[in-house]
């Protein structure tokens, strides 16, 4: 029973910063990638940032230069440092992980957290 738990969301004024955290737990053999998605009311979920186990990163154009994704030393944790926040960053942020459950089964699947709310006021 894999679980992804996000934390760190909240209310912040425009120009401020927040740091989101996500911890994966359960019967997990390995995690090849973790990332963050967000969804604002009435809009589709979009990729914010992703990082592979090898350290390669990818960001949405709208957050480049402002957000930084990183993996914890334990590799079951991912962070999203969000600086210079804008009102348009307001959304429910979801943690995503591509992981392998078994030592003998190489299949990888996507898992999602419940989300953490980020609200940026002007």
């Amino acid at each position: 029973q894999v679980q992804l738990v996000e934390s760190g969301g909240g209310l912040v004024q425009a120009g401020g910063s927040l740091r989101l955290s996500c911890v994966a737990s359960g019967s997990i053999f390995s995690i090849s990638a973790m990332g963050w998605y967000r969804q604002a009311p009435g809009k589709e979920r979009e990729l914010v940032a992703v990082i592979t186990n090898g350290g390669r990163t990818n960001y949405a154009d709208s957050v480049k230069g402002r957000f930084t994704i990183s993996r914890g030393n334990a590799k079951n944790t991912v962070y999203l440092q969000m600086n210079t926040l804008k009102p348009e960053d307001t959304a429910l942020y979801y943690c995503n992980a591509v992981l392998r459950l078994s030592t003998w089964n190489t299949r990888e699947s996507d898992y999602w957290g419940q989300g953490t709310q980020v609200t940026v006021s002007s």
Side-chain angles (χ1 to χ4, degrees):
Q1 293 76 34
V2 175
Q3 294 184 64
L4 301 180
V5 180
E6 304 100 331
S7 62
L11 175 64
V12 65
Q13 293 183 334
S17 299
L18 285 173
R19 182 177 172 88
L20 305 184
S21 300
C22 174
V23 180
S25 63
S27 184
I28 301 170
F29 176 73
S30 64
I31 302 174
S32 61
M34 298 186 76
W36 292 93
Y37 290 71
R38 67 186 182 187
Q39 186 169 24
K43 297 183 179 180
E44 294 185 355
R45 187 176 300 184
E46 64 173 345
L47 172 70
V48 178
V50 63
I51 184 168
T52 69
N53 198 41
R56 188 177 70 175
T57 60
N58 188 41
Y59 297 90
D61 289 339
S62 60
V63 307
K64 287 181 179 177
R66 299 188 297 119
F67 292 10
T68 302
I69 190 169
S70 61
R71 294 283 293 276
N73 291 333
K75 302 301 180 183
N76 68 328
T77 303
V78 64
Y79 304 98
L80 184 68
Q81 179 65 47
M82 304 185 294
N83 297 326
T84 319
L85 283 162
K86 303 175 180 180
E88 51 262 45
D89 294 319
T90 296
L92 188 64
Y93 283 70
Y94 295 92
C95 180
N96 167 261
V98 178
L99 55 84
R100 174 179 169 181
L101 298 178
S102 174
T103 303
W104 50 267
N105 190 344
T106 61
R107 180 184 178 183
E108 294 185 332
S109 300
D110 284 81
Y111 289 83
W112 296 87
Q114 292 295 105
T116 184
Q117 180 67 40
V118 172
T119 302
V120 184
S121 62
S122 60

